[in-house]
Amino acid sequence: MKYDYLIVGAGLFGSVFAHEAQKKGKKCLVIDRRSHLGGNVYCEEIEGINVHKYGAHIFHTNDKEIWDYVNSFVAFNRYTNSPMANYRDQLYNLPFNMNTFYQLWKVKTPAEARAFINKQVQQEGIKNPKNLEEQALSLVGRDIYEKLIKGYTEKQWGRKATELPAFIIKRLPLRFTFDNNYFNDKYQGIPIGGYNKLINALLEGVETRLEVDFFQDKTALMSMADKLVFTGKIDEFYDYRYGKLEYRSLDFKHQTLNMENYQGNAVVNYTDAEIPYTRILEHKHFEFGTQKKTVITKEYPTEWSGNKEPYYPINDKRNNEMYIKYRDLSLQDDIIFGGRLAEYKYYDMHQVIASALAKSKKIFNAQ
Ligand code: FAD
Ligand code: UDP
């Protein structure tokens, strides 16, 4: 065999796995159907600004081992995500914190804010939240739900909040301090010089081929390597035999503007239902850029269909049950499935890296 591993997908999972395999003396070939490496963390340089082509990517983790791992390839800056929300032309701080409560109700102390929220939560009288709407109402009450959650969530997912799993909203912190940090994690930042630096360092010395679709040439590609690592859609791998898993997609509209500073923040969310996009990114602010021009991106959520990119798994009951069937089937094959698409999980970057490291450790330590 020419290669020990054929790795389908040059995203974070494929790149970390390839790096670890190469460290153990394994020969890898990484292929990707896209025209660039990095999967969804890929950045394109425009006007000297690293533009996150597939949406805002902020690295955050609580795990020192993962933080040290990524920092061993590239230095990270001190960027702290603190998005603003625009609801009907009023601005609010995110995540839900004392600044937001002051903007909403003019309450000035944590005790006042708690009393306000507790009263609203009690009015809902929800004991065991069964979906995203009930979960949100029982955490923050109706006011915040109506202004900052409902519209955003329903356009993001294209479904009613009553039909979405509760866990999605638990990603957002709720705190009673004046702290606009979107994440609770100990470590956070953006690679200095962009994510491509991280990917290029991970894949240094690894053979890569772009614009190669695994399914176009499956037999020939598989015959080149002993083992397969697959980071694409697991349902596609098995010819959709149990049905199609659902995903949510996005259209990104990038614009270069002849001005220095468009919105004063990297991320502004639009939380009402009427505006068709969910957020506007201004990329230079991820790296404190001082370029003369600026690049912004509007994110328009769309339904996923065959010719779109499957960005978000829709982890409701029906899809999760279907995924379990595919996962059980995959356990019979000697193939490594990993990453957001192959594990059908709403993974963040640090979780994908942790998963790739855990899988590679298990394989290479056993050898
Ligand atoms: P991907 O990056 O999707 O890589 C899979 C690769 O496989 C792709 O390049 C694809 O082209 C290739 N592929 C698939 N099928 C085939 C095939 N048949 N043949 C050849 N190649 C194939 N995480 C954070 O931690 N912080 C954030 O702020 C954050 N923001 C995000 C914002 C958006 C809009 C999105 C969509 C995701 C965000 N994430 C964020 C999540 C992050 O992007 C993922 O956790 C991570 O990039 C997933 O890596 P992966 O390798 O699993 O998948
Ligand atoms: N969300 C919301 N309002 C916001 C931001 C987020 O209601 O202003 C909800 C929405 O349901 C979203 C979820 O919280 O899908 C998770 O948000 P996050 O910012 O983590 O989403 P991602 O960056 O992964 O798209």
Side-chain angles (χ1 to χ4, degrees):
M1 287 287 174
K2 194 156 179 238
Y3 301 99
D4 295 302
Y5 287 95
L6 169 70
I7 301 173
V8 179
L12 270 176
F13 190 97
S15 303
V16 168
F17 190 93
H19 183 83
E20 294 305 308
Q22 182 173 256
K23 250 183 10 200
K24 297 285 175 183
K26 306 291 178 196
K27 202 156 185 278
C28 301
L29 172 64
V30 178
I31 62 161
D32 204 295
R33 53 160 68 131
R34 296 187 191 175
S35 60
H36 57 74
L37 302 172
N40 289 340
V41 309
Y42 169 71
C43 295
E44 184 183 325
E45 199 189 304
I46 302 174
E47 300 291 342
I49 300 164
N50 291 309
V51 174
H52 297 207
K53 288 296 274 194
Y54 301 96
H57 276 76
I58 301 107
F59 198 93
H60 57 96
T61 180
N62 249 328
D63 187 335
K64 185 157 188 320
E65 210 183 308
I66 299 294
W67 184 241
D68 289 344
Y69 185 78
V70 291
N71 275 274
S72 72
F73 299 102
V74 57
F76 277 65
N77 71 14
R78 60 160 185 84
Y79 177 80
T80 300
N81 198 31
S82 44
M84 299 299 299
N86 179 319
Y87 176 74
R88 302 201 170 153
D89 253 352
Q90 297 290 308
L91 289 177
Y92 301 92
N93 286 105
L94 290 174
F96 315 125
N97 75 87
M98 285 303 297
N99 289 306
T100 331
F101 310 143
Y102 177 71
Q103 289 147 354
L104 281 163
W105 311 309
K106 294 284 170 281
V107 290
K108 297 191 186 74
T109 66
E112 284 175 285
R114 271 189 203 280
F116 219 99
I117 289 180
N118 285 346
K119 194 173 155 213
Q120 292 206 3
V121 167
Q122 271 160 23
Q123 273 167 3
E124 300 299 328
I126 296 163
K127 290 276 172 309
N128 297 309
K130 289 184 295 298
N131 54 55
L132 195 155
E133 176 169 295
E134 291 187 5
Q135 182 68 69
L137 289 170
S138 63
L139 280 176
V140 293
R142 185 149 302 264
D143 227 8
I144 292 182
Y145 175 68
E146 299 281 354
K147 293 194 168 95
L148 301 177
I149 299 176
K150 188 174 193 294
Y152 185 101
T153 295
E154 294 190 342
K155 65 185 171 183
Q156 164 71 7
W157 296 98
R159 284 157 178 74
K160 295 227 169 319
T162 47
E163 289 160 16
L164 287 163
F167 83 88
I168 293 177
I169 203 64
K170 289 199 201 147
R171 288 169 63 89
L172 306 195
L174 163 68
R175 57 171 90 93
F176 292 87
T177 50
F178 290 91
D179 177 358
N180 298 324
N181 184 350
Y182 199 61
F183 302 110
N184 280 329
D185 289 342
K186 258 191 227 154
Y187 311 102
Q188 183 175 172
I190 303 279
I192 297 172
Y195 284 91
N196 299 0
K197 282 205 160 176
L198 173 62
I199 296 293
N200 292 340
L202 282 165
L203 289 175
E204 202 185 317
V206 176
E207 194 178 330
T208 58
R209 288 190 204 168
L210 296 173
E211 296 180 54
V212 177
D213 189 328
F214 175 72
F215 296 110
Q216 297 295 309
D217 212 1
K218 189 172 161 179
T219 318
L221 284 164
M222 280 182 73
S223 71
M224 290 161 73
D226 265 345
K227 289 220 169 352
L228 177 66
V229 176
F230 186 79
T231 75
K233 289 165 67 235
I234 191 166
D235 53 343
E236 188 176 14
F237 187 88
Y238 287 113
D239 279 329
Y240 304 106
R241 76 175 71 168
Y242 300 128
K244 285 194 170 179
L245 291 167
E246 290 176 296
Y247 300 87
R248 192 73 178 148
S249 193
L250 294 167
D251 284 334
F252 297 102
K253 300 233 164 96
H254 308 286
Q255 275 173 279
T256 302
L257 303 177
N258 206 1
M259 61 169 78
E260 250 180 71
N261 192 356
Y262 172 73
Q263 62 182 16
N265 208 31
V267 185
V268 178
N269 290 359
Y270 286 79
T271 59
D272 58 86
E274 290 77 33
I275 291 178
Y277 43 86
T278 45
R279 38 192 180 193
I280 301 185
L281 318 177
E282 188 171 12
H283 301 268
K284 68 192 318 181
H285 298 309
F286 289 121
E287 297 183 66
F288 317 106
T290 53
Q291 298 84 349
K292 287 253 170 305
K293 293 190 182 177
T294 195
V295 181
I296 63 165
T297 301
K298 291 182 181 152
E299 281 186 23
Y300 295 80
T302 64
E303 218 27 74
W304 177 78
S305 62
N307 56 356
K308 294 223 160 226
E309 286 291 342
Y311 291 116
Y312 293 89
I314 298 182
N315 290 111
D316 61 11
K317 193 165 172 284
R318 178 185 162 272
N319 286 301
N320 284 346
E321 283 172 4
M322 193 189 290
Y323 166 68
I324 294 293
K325 287 196 197 168
Y326 283 115
R327 192 209 51 198
D328 289 349
L329 184 63
S330 76
L331 296 175
Q332 295 163 24
D333 288 326
D334 189 18
I335 296 169
I336 298 145
F337 288 89
R340 209 175 189 175
L341 299 172
E343 295 181 65
Y344 199 65
K345 268 206 185 110
Y346 193 177
Y347 268 149
D348 279 327
M349 292 180 278
H350 60 291
Q351 295 164 317
V352 168
I353 294 173
S355 162
L357 286 176
K359 285 195 182 168
S360 50
K361 258 186 206 146
K362 206 169 146 198
I363 295 164
F364 300 124
N365 289 353
Q367 284 178 358

